[in-house]
Amino acid sequence: VVGSVDVYKRQEDLTHRNPKAEKDRIIRAYIRAGTWRGAAKLLNVSEKILIQLRKKHHINPHGEIEA
């Protein structure tokens, strides 16, 4: 139970930043890790949460911003 609270807090830490900072952090993590799985680990969020964040910020599978 304590572990799940920690995970929720980490997800909350990422998702409650300002949108530009959040988007930049996601893209930087992807570039650094080379994969979305690795980016999720660097950001301390699940892959599912990262997919949701990518959709929110219109980031495609190649790490590019789409209109």
Side-chain angles (χ1 to χ4, degrees):
V1 175
V2 172
S4 63
V5 171
D6 291 342
V7 169
Y8 177 77
K9 183 178 181 343
R10 285 192 300 260
Q11 291 170 355
E12 188 177 88
D13 288 346
L14 178 64
T15 59
H16 284 91
R17 296 180 182 274
N18 74 59
K20 174 134 176 50
E22 183 178 67
K23 184 181 350 180
D24 291 346
R25 189 170 178 213
I26 292 166
I27 293 171
R28 282 196 314 268
Y30 173 68
I31 291 168
R32 182 174 177 195
T35 65
W36 289 112
R37 177 174 287 169
K41 288 181 182 180
L42 287 175
L43 296 168
N44 292 315
V45 297
S46 69
E47 290 181 65
K48 182 177 179 178
I49 293 292
L50 186 54
I51 289 168
Q52 292 170 353
L53 291 170
R54 283 178 40 209
K55 288 179 183 178
K56 172 183 167 185
H57 293 291
H58 308 285
I59 301 170
N60 73 17
H62 305 289
E64 301 161 340
I65 307 297
E66 296 183 335

Short mmCIF file of all heavy atoms in Angstrom, two decimals:
data_model
loop_
_atom_site.label_atom_id
_atom_site.label_comp_id
_atom_site.label_asym_id
_atom_site.label_seq_id
_atom_site.Cartn_x
_atom_site.Cartn_y
_atom_site.Cartn_z
N VAL A 1 0.83 -1.20 0.00
CA VAL A 1 0.00 0.00 0.00
C VAL A 1 0.87 1.25 0.00
O VAL A 1 0.62 2.17 -0.74
CB VAL A 1 -0.97 0.00 1.20
CG1 VAL A 1 -1.74 1.28 1.27
CG2 VAL A 1 -1.88 -1.19 1.13
N VAL A 2 1.91 1.25 0.80
CA VAL A 2 2.79 2.42 0.86
C VAL A 2 3.43 2.66 -0.51
O VAL A 2 3.51 3.78 -0.97
CB VAL A 2 3.88 2.25 1.95
CG1 VAL A 2 4.88 3.37 1.88
CG2 VAL A 2 3.23 2.19 3.33
N GLY A 3 3.86 1.59 -1.18
CA GLY A 3 4.46 1.72 -2.51
C GLY A 3 3.53 2.36 -3.50
O GLY A 3 3.93 3.19 -4.31
N SER A 4 2.24 2.01 -3.45
CA SER A 4 1.29 2.58 -4.40
C SER A 4 1.08 4.07 -4.12
O SER A 4 0.88 4.85 -5.04
CB SER A 4 -0.04 1.83 -4.37
OG SER A 4 -0.64 1.95 -3.10
N VAL A 5 1.15 4.46 -2.86
CA VAL A 5 1.04 5.89 -2.53
C VAL A 5 2.24 6.63 -3.12
O VAL A 5 2.09 7.71 -3.69
CB VAL A 5 0.96 6.10 -1.00
CG1 VAL A 5 1.06 7.57 -0.65
CG2 VAL A 5 -0.33 5.51 -0.45
N ASP A 6 3.43 6.05 -3.03
CA ASP A 6 4.63 6.67 -3.58
C ASP A 6 4.50 6.83 -5.09
O ASP A 6 4.84 7.86 -5.64
CB ASP A 6 5.88 5.85 -3.26
CG ASP A 6 6.23 5.90 -1.78
OD1 ASP A 6 5.75 6.80 -1.08
OD2 ASP A 6 6.98 5.02 -1.33
N VAL A 7 4.00 5.80 -5.77
CA VAL A 7 3.83 5.87 -7.22
C VAL A 7 2.83 6.97 -7.57
O VAL A 7 3.06 7.77 -8.47
CB VAL A 7 3.36 4.51 -7.79
CG1 VAL A 7 2.92 4.65 -9.24
CG2 VAL A 7 4.46 3.47 -7.66
N TYR A 8 1.72 7.03 -6.85
CA TYR A 8 0.71 8.07 -7.11
C TYR A 8 1.33 9.45 -6.93
O TYR A 8 1.13 10.34 -7.74
CB TYR A 8 -0.50 7.90 -6.19
CG TYR A 8 -1.51 8.99 -6.38
CD1 TYR A 8 -2.36 8.98 -7.48
CD2 TYR A 8 -1.59 10.05 -5.49
CE1 TYR A 8 -3.26 10.00 -7.68
CE2 TYR A 8 -2.50 11.07 -5.68
CZ TYR A 8 -3.33 11.04 -6.77
OH TYR A 8 -4.23 12.05 -6.97
N LYS A 9 2.12 9.64 -5.88
CA LYS A 9 2.74 10.94 -5.63
C LYS A 9 3.68 11.30 -6.76
O LYS A 9 3.68 12.43 -7.24
CB LYS A 9 3.48 10.94 -4.30
CG LYS A 9 4.08 12.31 -3.99
CD LYS A 9 4.78 12.33 -2.68
CE LYS A 9 5.38 13.67 -2.32
NZ LYS A 9 5.55 14.64 -3.36
N ARG A 10 4.47 10.34 -7.25
CA ARG A 10 5.39 10.63 -8.35
C ARG A 10 4.61 11.01 -9.60
O ARG A 10 5.00 11.93 -10.32
CB ARG A 10 6.29 9.43 -8.61
CG ARG A 10 7.38 9.26 -7.56
CD ARG A 10 8.41 8.25 -7.99
NE ARG A 10 7.87 6.95 -8.23
CZ ARG A 10 7.92 5.93 -7.37
NH1 ARG A 10 8.47 6.09 -6.20
NH2 ARG A 10 7.41 4.77 -7.69
N GLN A 11 3.51 10.31 -9.88
CA GLN A 11 2.70 10.65 -11.04
C GLN A 11 2.11 12.04 -10.87
O GLN A 11 2.10 12.83 -11.81
CB GLN A 11 1.58 9.62 -11.22
CG GLN A 11 2.09 8.26 -11.64
CD GLN A 11 1.03 7.19 -11.60
OE1 GLN A 11 -0.09 7.42 -11.16
NE2 GLN A 11 1.38 6.01 -12.04
N GLU A 12 1.66 12.33 -9.69
CA GLU A 12 1.09 13.65 -9.40
C GLU A 12 2.16 14.73 -9.56
O GLU A 12 1.90 15.80 -10.11
CB GLU A 12 0.54 13.65 -7.98
CG GLU A 12 -0.24 14.88 -7.62
CD GLU A 12 -0.81 14.77 -6.23
OE1 GLU A 12 -0.10 15.15 -5.29
OE2 GLU A 12 -1.95 14.30 -6.09
N ASP A 13 3.38 14.46 -9.12
CA ASP A 13 4.47 15.42 -9.27
C ASP A 13 4.69 15.78 -10.73
O ASP A 13 4.90 16.93 -11.06
CB ASP A 13 5.78 14.85 -8.69
CG ASP A 13 5.78 14.78 -7.18
OD1 ASP A 13 4.90 15.40 -6.55
OD2 ASP A 13 6.66 14.09 -6.64
N LEU A 14 4.64 14.79 -11.60
CA LEU A 14 4.85 15.04 -13.02
C LEU A 14 3.66 15.75 -13.64
O LEU A 14 3.80 16.73 -14.35
CB LEU A 14 5.10 13.73 -13.78
CG LEU A 14 5.29 13.88 -15.30
CD1 LEU A 14 6.54 14.69 -15.61
CD2 LEU A 14 5.35 12.53 -15.97
N THR A 15 2.47 15.31 -13.34
CA THR A 15 1.29 15.80 -14.05
C THR A 15 0.78 17.15 -13.56
O THR A 15 -0.05 17.75 -14.21
CB THR A 15 0.15 14.77 -14.00
OG1 THR A 15 -0.18 14.51 -12.64
CG2 THR A 15 0.53 13.49 -14.70
N HIS A 16 1.27 17.65 -12.44
CA HIS A 16 0.80 18.94 -11.95
C HIS A 16 1.80 20.07 -12.20
O HIS A 16 1.69 21.13 -11.61
CB HIS A 16 0.42 18.85 -10.47
CG HIS A 16 -0.88 18.18 -10.27
ND1 HIS A 16 -0.98 16.83 -10.08
CD2 HIS A 16 -2.15 18.64 -10.30
CE1 HIS A 16 -2.25 16.50 -9.97
NE2 HIS A 16 -2.98 17.58 -10.10
N ARG A 17 2.71 19.86 -13.08
CA ARG A 17 3.64 20.92 -13.48
C ARG A 17 2.94 21.78 -14.54
O ARG A 17 1.91 21.41 -15.06
CB ARG A 17 4.90 20.33 -14.08
CG ARG A 17 5.69 19.51 -13.08
CD ARG A 17 6.93 18.95 -13.75
NE ARG A 17 7.64 18.13 -12.82
CZ ARG A 17 8.53 18.59 -11.95
NH1 ARG A 17 8.82 19.87 -11.89
NH2 ARG A 17 9.16 17.79 -11.13
N ASN A 18 3.58 22.87 -14.89
CA ASN A 18 2.97 23.65 -15.97
C ASN A 18 3.11 22.85 -17.27
O ASN A 18 4.05 22.06 -17.43
CB ASN A 18 3.56 25.07 -16.04
CG ASN A 18 4.95 25.12 -16.60
OD1 ASN A 18 5.18 24.70 -17.73
ND2 ASN A 18 5.88 25.65 -15.83
N PRO A 19 2.19 23.01 -18.20
CA PRO A 19 2.15 22.17 -19.40
C PRO A 19 3.43 22.18 -20.22
O PRO A 19 3.87 21.13 -20.68
CB PRO A 19 0.98 22.74 -20.20
CG PRO A 19 0.11 23.37 -19.18
CD PRO A 19 1.04 23.90 -18.11
N LYS A 20 4.05 23.33 -20.42
CA LYS A 20 5.27 23.38 -21.22
C LYS A 20 6.40 22.61 -20.55
O LYS A 20 7.11 21.85 -21.19
CB LYS A 20 5.69 24.83 -21.47
CG LYS A 20 7.03 24.94 -22.17
CD LYS A 20 7.03 25.92 -23.29
CE LYS A 20 8.38 26.11 -23.95
NZ LYS A 20 9.07 24.92 -24.35
N ALA A 21 6.56 22.80 -19.25
CA ALA A 21 7.61 22.10 -18.52
C ALA A 21 7.37 20.59 -18.55
O ALA A 21 8.30 19.81 -18.70
CB ALA A 21 7.69 22.60 -17.08
N GLU A 22 6.11 20.19 -18.40
CA GLU A 22 5.76 18.77 -18.44
C GLU A 22 6.10 18.18 -19.80
O GLU A 22 6.73 17.12 -19.89
CB GLU A 22 4.27 18.62 -18.14
CG GLU A 22 3.80 17.19 -18.08
CD GLU A 22 2.33 17.11 -17.73
OE1 GLU A 22 1.50 17.54 -18.56
OE2 GLU A 22 2.01 16.62 -16.64
N LYS A 23 5.70 18.86 -20.87
CA LYS A 23 5.96 18.39 -22.23
C LYS A 23 7.47 18.29 -22.48
O LYS A 23 7.96 17.28 -22.99
CB LYS A 23 5.32 19.35 -23.23
CG LYS A 23 5.45 18.91 -24.65
CD LYS A 23 4.85 19.84 -25.69
CE LYS A 23 4.00 20.96 -25.24
NZ LYS A 23 3.48 21.79 -26.30
N ASP A 24 8.21 19.30 -22.09
CA ASP A 24 9.67 19.30 -22.27
C ASP A 24 10.32 18.16 -21.50
O ASP A 24 11.22 17.49 -22.01
CB ASP A 24 10.27 20.63 -21.82
CG ASP A 24 9.90 21.80 -22.73
OD1 ASP A 24 9.39 21.55 -23.85
OD2 ASP A 24 10.11 22.95 -22.31
N ARG A 25 9.85 17.93 -20.30
CA ARG A 25 10.42 16.86 -19.47
C ARG A 25 10.16 15.49 -20.10
O ARG A 25 11.04 14.62 -20.10
CB ARG A 25 9.81 16.93 -18.07
CG ARG A 25 10.47 16.02 -17.09
CD ARG A 25 9.98 16.31 -15.68
NE ARG A 25 10.62 15.37 -14.78
CZ ARG A 25 10.06 14.90 -13.69
NH1 ARG A 25 8.87 15.30 -13.34
NH2 ARG A 25 10.70 14.04 -12.93
N ILE A 26 8.98 15.29 -20.66
CA ILE A 26 8.65 14.02 -21.31
C ILE A 26 9.55 13.81 -22.52
O ILE A 26 10.13 12.72 -22.69
CB ILE A 26 7.17 14.01 -21.73
CG1 ILE A 26 6.28 13.97 -20.49
CG2 ILE A 26 6.87 12.83 -22.66
CD1 ILE A 26 4.82 14.29 -20.77
N ILE A 27 9.71 14.82 -23.34
CA ILE A 27 10.54 14.69 -24.54
C ILE A 27 12.00 14.48 -24.18
O ILE A 27 12.68 13.63 -24.76
CB ILE A 27 10.35 15.91 -25.47
CG1 ILE A 27 8.91 15.89 -26.03
CG2 ILE A 27 11.36 15.92 -26.60
CD1 ILE A 27 8.50 17.13 -26.77
N ARG A 28 12.49 15.21 -23.19
CA ARG A 28 13.89 15.01 -22.75
C ARG A 28 14.12 13.59 -22.24
O ARG A 28 15.16 12.98 -22.53
CB ARG A 28 14.26 16.03 -21.67
CG ARG A 28 14.56 17.41 -22.21
CD ARG A 28 15.29 18.29 -21.20
NE ARG A 28 14.71 18.24 -19.86
CZ ARG A 28 13.79 19.07 -19.40
NH1 ARG A 28 13.33 20.04 -20.16
NH2 ARG A 28 13.32 18.95 -18.17
N ALA A 29 13.16 13.07 -21.49
CA ALA A 29 13.30 11.70 -20.97
C ALA A 29 13.33 10.70 -22.11
O ALA A 29 14.11 9.74 -22.09
CB ALA A 29 12.16 11.38 -20.01
N TYR A 30 12.49 10.91 -23.13
CA TYR A 30 12.46 10.01 -24.29
C TYR A 30 13.79 10.06 -25.04
O TYR A 30 14.35 9.02 -25.39
CB TYR A 30 11.31 10.37 -25.23
CG TYR A 30 11.33 9.59 -26.52
CD1 TYR A 30 11.08 8.22 -26.52
CD2 TYR A 30 11.59 10.20 -27.73
CE1 TYR A 30 11.11 7.49 -27.69
CE2 TYR A 30 11.61 9.49 -28.91
CZ TYR A 30 11.37 8.13 -28.88
OH TYR A 30 11.40 7.41 -30.04
N ILE A 31 14.31 11.25 -25.25
CA ILE A 31 15.59 11.39 -25.96
C ILE A 31 16.70 10.72 -25.16
O ILE A 31 17.53 9.98 -25.72
CB ILE A 31 15.91 12.88 -26.21
CG1 ILE A 31 14.93 13.44 -27.24
CG2 ILE A 31 17.36 13.07 -26.64
CD1 ILE A 31 14.95 14.95 -27.37
N ARG A 32 16.70 10.92 -23.87
CA ARG A 32 17.76 10.34 -23.02
C ARG A 32 17.67 8.81 -22.98
O ARG A 32 18.68 8.13 -23.09
CB ARG A 32 17.64 10.91 -21.61
CG ARG A 32 18.72 10.40 -20.69
CD ARG A 32 18.66 11.07 -19.35
NE ARG A 32 19.67 10.51 -18.48
CZ ARG A 32 19.69 10.66 -17.19
NH1 ARG A 32 18.78 11.40 -16.60
NH2 ARG A 32 20.62 10.10 -16.46
N ALA A 33 16.44 8.29 -22.83
CA ALA A 33 16.27 6.84 -22.68
C ALA A 33 16.30 6.11 -24.02
O ALA A 33 16.71 4.96 -24.08
CB ALA A 33 14.97 6.55 -21.95
N GLY A 34 15.79 6.76 -25.06
CA GLY A 34 15.75 6.12 -26.37
C GLY A 34 14.50 5.30 -26.62
O GLY A 34 14.25 4.88 -27.74
N THR A 35 13.73 5.04 -25.57
CA THR A 35 12.47 4.31 -25.70
C THR A 35 11.45 4.93 -24.76
O THR A 35 11.82 5.59 -23.78
CB THR A 35 12.60 2.82 -25.33
OG1 THR A 35 12.91 2.72 -23.93
CG2 THR A 35 13.66 2.10 -26.16
N TRP A 36 10.17 4.70 -25.06
CA TRP A 36 9.13 5.21 -24.17
C TRP A 36 9.12 4.45 -22.85
O TRP A 36 8.85 5.02 -21.80
CB TRP A 36 7.76 5.18 -24.85
CG TRP A 36 7.67 6.21 -25.93
CD1 TRP A 36 7.60 6.00 -27.28
CD2 TRP A 36 7.71 7.62 -25.75
NE1 TRP A 36 7.57 7.19 -27.94
CE2 TRP A 36 7.64 8.22 -27.03
CE3 TRP A 36 7.80 8.46 -24.65
CZ2 TRP A 36 7.65 9.59 -27.23
CZ3 TRP A 36 7.80 9.84 -24.85
CH2 TRP A 36 7.73 10.39 -26.12
N ARG A 37 9.44 3.17 -22.89
CA ARG A 37 9.53 2.39 -21.65
C ARG A 37 10.61 2.97 -20.75
O ARG A 37 10.41 3.15 -19.54
CB ARG A 37 9.81 0.92 -21.96
CG ARG A 37 9.99 0.07 -20.71
CD ARG A 37 10.12 -1.38 -21.04
NE ARG A 37 8.80 -1.85 -21.43
CZ ARG A 37 8.55 -3.02 -22.00
NH1 ARG A 37 9.53 -3.85 -22.24
NH2 ARG A 37 7.33 -3.37 -22.33
N GLY A 38 11.76 3.26 -21.34
CA GLY A 38 12.85 3.85 -20.57
C GLY A 38 12.51 5.23 -20.06
O GLY A 38 12.87 5.60 -18.94
N ALA A 39 11.79 6.01 -20.89
CA ALA A 39 11.38 7.36 -20.47
C ALA A 39 10.44 7.26 -19.27
O ALA A 39 10.55 8.05 -18.33
CB ALA A 39 10.70 8.08 -21.63
N ALA A 40 9.53 6.31 -19.29
CA ALA A 40 8.60 6.13 -18.16
C ALA A 40 9.38 5.84 -16.88
O ALA A 40 9.08 6.38 -15.82
CB ALA A 40 7.60 5.01 -18.46
N LYS A 41 10.41 5.00 -17.00
CA LYS A 41 11.23 4.68 -15.82
C LYS A 41 11.96 5.92 -15.31
O LYS A 41 12.02 6.16 -14.10
CB LYS A 41 12.22 3.57 -16.15
CG LYS A 41 11.57 2.22 -16.31
CD LYS A 41 12.59 1.15 -16.62
CE LYS A 41 11.90 -0.19 -16.81
NZ LYS A 41 12.86 -1.26 -17.11
N LEU A 42 12.52 6.70 -16.23
CA LEU A 42 13.22 7.93 -15.82
C LEU A 42 12.28 8.91 -15.13
O LEU A 42 12.68 9.62 -14.21
CB LEU A 42 13.85 8.61 -17.04
CG LEU A 42 15.08 7.95 -17.63
CD1 LEU A 42 15.49 8.69 -18.91
CD2 LEU A 42 16.22 7.93 -16.63
N LEU A 43 11.03 8.94 -15.59
CA LEU A 43 10.05 9.87 -15.03
C LEU A 43 9.33 9.29 -13.81
O LEU A 43 8.51 9.98 -13.19
CB LEU A 43 9.02 10.24 -16.10
CG LEU A 43 9.58 11.00 -17.31
CD1 LEU A 43 8.55 11.07 -18.42
CD2 LEU A 43 10.01 12.40 -16.88
N ASN A 44 9.60 8.04 -13.51
CA ASN A 44 8.96 7.35 -12.38
C ASN A 44 7.43 7.30 -12.51
O ASN A 44 6.71 7.55 -11.55
CB ASN A 44 9.35 7.99 -11.04
CG ASN A 44 10.80 7.77 -10.71
OD1 ASN A 44 11.29 6.66 -10.85
ND2 ASN A 44 11.47 8.81 -10.30
N VAL A 45 6.97 7.04 -13.74
CA VAL A 45 5.54 6.84 -13.99
C VAL A 45 5.37 5.55 -14.76
O VAL A 45 6.31 5.03 -15.35
CB VAL A 45 4.90 8.02 -14.77
CG1 VAL A 45 4.99 9.31 -13.99
CG2 VAL A 45 5.51 8.18 -16.14
N SER A 46 4.16 5.03 -14.77
CA SER A 46 3.90 3.82 -15.54
C SER A 46 3.87 4.17 -17.02
O SER A 46 3.69 5.33 -17.41
CB SER A 46 2.55 3.21 -15.13
OG SER A 46 1.49 4.05 -15.56
N GLU A 47 4.04 3.14 -17.86
CA GLU A 47 3.94 3.37 -19.29
C GLU A 47 2.54 3.85 -19.67
O GLU A 47 2.40 4.69 -20.57
CB GLU A 47 4.28 2.08 -20.05
CG GLU A 47 5.75 1.72 -19.96
CD GLU A 47 6.08 0.46 -20.72
OE1 GLU A 47 5.95 0.48 -21.96
OE2 GLU A 47 6.44 -0.54 -20.07
N LYS A 48 1.54 3.35 -18.99
CA LYS A 48 0.16 3.77 -19.26
C LYS A 48 -0.01 5.26 -19.01
O LYS A 48 -0.61 5.98 -19.82
CB LYS A 48 -0.81 2.96 -18.39
CG LYS A 48 -2.26 3.29 -18.64
CD LYS A 48 -3.16 2.41 -17.80
CE LYS A 48 -4.61 2.76 -18.03
NZ LYS A 48 -5.51 1.91 -17.27
N ILE A 49 0.51 5.75 -17.89
CA ILE A 49 0.43 7.17 -17.58
C ILE A 49 1.19 7.98 -18.63
O ILE A 49 0.73 9.03 -19.09
CB ILE A 49 0.98 7.48 -16.17
CG1 ILE A 49 0.08 6.87 -15.10
CG2 ILE A 49 1.17 8.98 -15.95
CD1 ILE A 49 -1.29 7.50 -14.98
N LEU A 50 2.35 7.49 -19.03
CA LEU A 50 3.14 8.22 -20.03
C LEU A 50 2.40 8.30 -21.36
O LEU A 50 2.42 9.34 -22.02
CB LEU A 50 4.52 7.58 -20.21
CG LEU A 50 5.47 8.33 -21.11
CD1 LEU A 50 5.64 9.79 -20.68
CD2 LEU A 50 6.81 7.64 -21.17
N ILE A 51 1.71 7.25 -21.75
CA ILE A 51 0.92 7.28 -22.98
C ILE A 51 -0.17 8.34 -22.86
O ILE A 51 -0.41 9.11 -23.80
CB ILE A 51 0.32 5.89 -23.29
CG1 ILE A 51 1.43 4.94 -23.72
CG2 ILE A 51 -0.77 5.99 -24.36
CD1 ILE A 51 1.02 3.48 -23.78
N GLN A 52 -0.82 8.39 -21.72
CA GLN A 52 -1.87 9.41 -21.51
C GLN A 52 -1.28 10.81 -21.60
O GLN A 52 -1.88 11.71 -22.20
CB GLN A 52 -2.54 9.20 -20.15
CG GLN A 52 -3.35 7.95 -20.06
CD GLN A 52 -3.82 7.64 -18.65
OE1 GLN A 52 -3.43 8.30 -17.69
NE2 GLN A 52 -4.66 6.62 -18.52
N LEU A 53 -0.10 11.00 -21.02
CA LEU A 53 0.54 12.31 -21.07
C LEU A 53 0.97 12.67 -22.49
O LEU A 53 0.86 13.82 -22.91
CB LEU A 53 1.75 12.34 -20.13
CG LEU A 53 1.43 12.28 -18.65
CD1 LEU A 53 2.69 12.06 -17.83
CD2 LEU A 53 0.72 13.55 -18.21
N ARG A 54 1.44 11.67 -23.24
CA ARG A 54 1.81 11.92 -24.64
C ARG A 54 0.60 12.37 -25.44
O ARG A 54 0.69 13.31 -26.24
CB ARG A 54 2.40 10.66 -25.27
CG ARG A 54 3.83 10.40 -24.86
CD ARG A 54 4.39 9.12 -25.45
NE ARG A 54 3.99 8.93 -26.83
CZ ARG A 54 3.83 7.72 -27.39
NH1 ARG A 54 4.04 6.63 -26.70
NH2 ARG A 54 3.48 7.62 -28.65
N LYS A 55 -0.54 11.73 -25.21
CA LYS A 55 -1.77 12.13 -25.91
C LYS A 55 -2.17 13.54 -25.51
O LYS A 55 -2.54 14.36 -26.35
CB LYS A 55 -2.90 11.14 -25.62
CG LYS A 55 -2.72 9.81 -26.29
CD LYS A 55 -3.85 8.87 -25.95
CE LYS A 55 -3.62 7.51 -26.58
NZ LYS A 55 -4.68 6.56 -26.23
N LYS A 56 -2.10 13.83 -24.23
CA LYS A 56 -2.47 15.15 -23.71
C LYS A 56 -1.65 16.25 -24.38
O LYS A 56 -2.16 17.33 -24.69
CB LYS A 56 -2.24 15.17 -22.19
CG LYS A 56 -2.40 16.52 -21.53
CD LYS A 56 -2.08 16.41 -20.05
CE LYS A 56 -1.92 17.77 -19.42
NZ LYS A 56 -1.49 17.67 -18.02
N HIS A 57 -0.36 15.98 -24.60
CA HIS A 57 0.55 16.98 -25.16
C HIS A 57 0.77 16.81 -26.66
O HIS A 57 1.62 17.51 -27.22
CB HIS A 57 1.89 16.93 -24.42
CG HIS A 57 1.80 17.37 -23.00
ND1 HIS A 57 1.54 18.68 -22.64
CD2 HIS A 57 1.89 16.68 -21.84
CE1 HIS A 57 1.51 18.77 -21.33
NE2 HIS A 57 1.71 17.57 -20.83
N HIS A 58 0.04 15.89 -27.29
CA HIS A 58 0.15 15.67 -28.74
C HIS A 58 1.57 15.30 -29.15
O HIS A 58 2.11 15.85 -30.11
CB HIS A 58 -0.34 16.89 -29.52
CG HIS A 58 -1.70 17.36 -29.11
ND1 HIS A 58 -2.84 16.68 -29.47
CD2 HIS A 58 -2.10 18.38 -28.33
CE1 HIS A 58 -3.90 17.30 -28.95
NE2 HIS A 58 -3.46 18.33 -28.24
N ILE A 59 2.18 14.38 -28.40
CA ILE A 59 3.52 13.91 -28.70
C ILE A 59 3.38 12.56 -29.40
O ILE A 59 2.82 11.61 -28.83
CB ILE A 59 4.38 13.75 -27.43
CG1 ILE A 59 4.47 15.10 -26.69
CG2 ILE A 59 5.77 13.22 -27.77
CD1 ILE A 59 5.10 15.01 -25.31
N ASN A 60 3.88 12.47 -30.62
CA ASN A 60 3.73 11.22 -31.38
C ASN A 60 4.74 10.16 -30.93
O ASN A 60 5.61 10.45 -30.11
CB ASN A 60 3.78 11.50 -32.89
CG ASN A 60 5.17 11.83 -33.40
OD1 ASN A 60 6.19 11.57 -32.76
ND2 ASN A 60 5.23 12.42 -34.58
N PRO A 61 4.65 8.95 -31.47
CA PRO A 61 5.56 7.87 -31.05
C PRO A 61 7.04 8.15 -31.31
O PRO A 61 7.90 7.48 -30.76
CB PRO A 61 5.09 6.66 -31.86
CG PRO A 61 3.65 6.94 -32.14
CD PRO A 61 3.58 8.43 -32.33
N HIS A 62 7.32 9.14 -32.16
CA HIS A 62 8.71 9.49 -32.47
C HIS A 62 9.22 10.64 -31.60
O HIS A 62 10.32 11.15 -31.82
CB HIS A 62 8.85 9.85 -33.95
CG HIS A 62 8.34 8.77 -34.85
ND1 HIS A 62 8.98 7.56 -35.01
CD2 HIS A 62 7.22 8.70 -35.60
CE1 HIS A 62 8.29 6.80 -35.83
NE2 HIS A 62 7.21 7.47 -36.20
N GLY A 63 8.40 11.08 -30.65
CA GLY A 63 8.81 12.15 -29.75
C GLY A 63 8.65 13.53 -30.34
O GLY A 63 9.22 14.50 -29.86
N GLU A 64 7.83 13.64 -31.39
CA GLU A 64 7.62 14.93 -32.05
C GLU A 64 6.25 15.49 -31.66
O GLU A 64 5.30 14.74 -31.48
CB GLU A 64 7.67 14.75 -33.57
CG GLU A 64 9.00 14.18 -34.04
CD GLU A 64 8.91 13.57 -35.43
OE1 GLU A 64 7.80 13.24 -35.88
OE2 GLU A 64 9.97 13.42 -36.06
N ILE A 65 6.16 16.80 -31.60
CA ILE A 65 4.90 17.48 -31.29
C ILE A 65 4.06 17.53 -32.54
O ILE A 65 4.54 17.91 -33.61
CB ILE A 65 5.16 18.93 -30.79
CG1 ILE A 65 6.15 18.95 -29.63
CG2 ILE A 65 3.84 19.61 -30.43
CD1 ILE A 65 5.69 18.23 -28.40
N GLU A 66 2.79 17.13 -32.41
CA GLU A 66 1.85 17.20 -33.54
C GLU A 66 0.83 18.28 -33.26
O GLU A 66 0.48 18.54 -32.11
CB GLU A 66 1.16 15.85 -33.73
CG GLU A 66 2.11 14.76 -34.11
CD GLU A 66 1.41 13.44 -34.37
OE1 GLU A 66 0.32 13.22 -33.84
OE2 GLU A 66 1.97 12.65 -35.15
N ALA A 67 0.37 18.89 -34.33
CA ALA A 67 -0.62 19.98 -34.18
C ALA A 67 -1.98 19.47 -33.76
O ALA A 67 -2.35 18.37 -33.86
CB ALA A 67 -0.75 20.74 -35.49
#
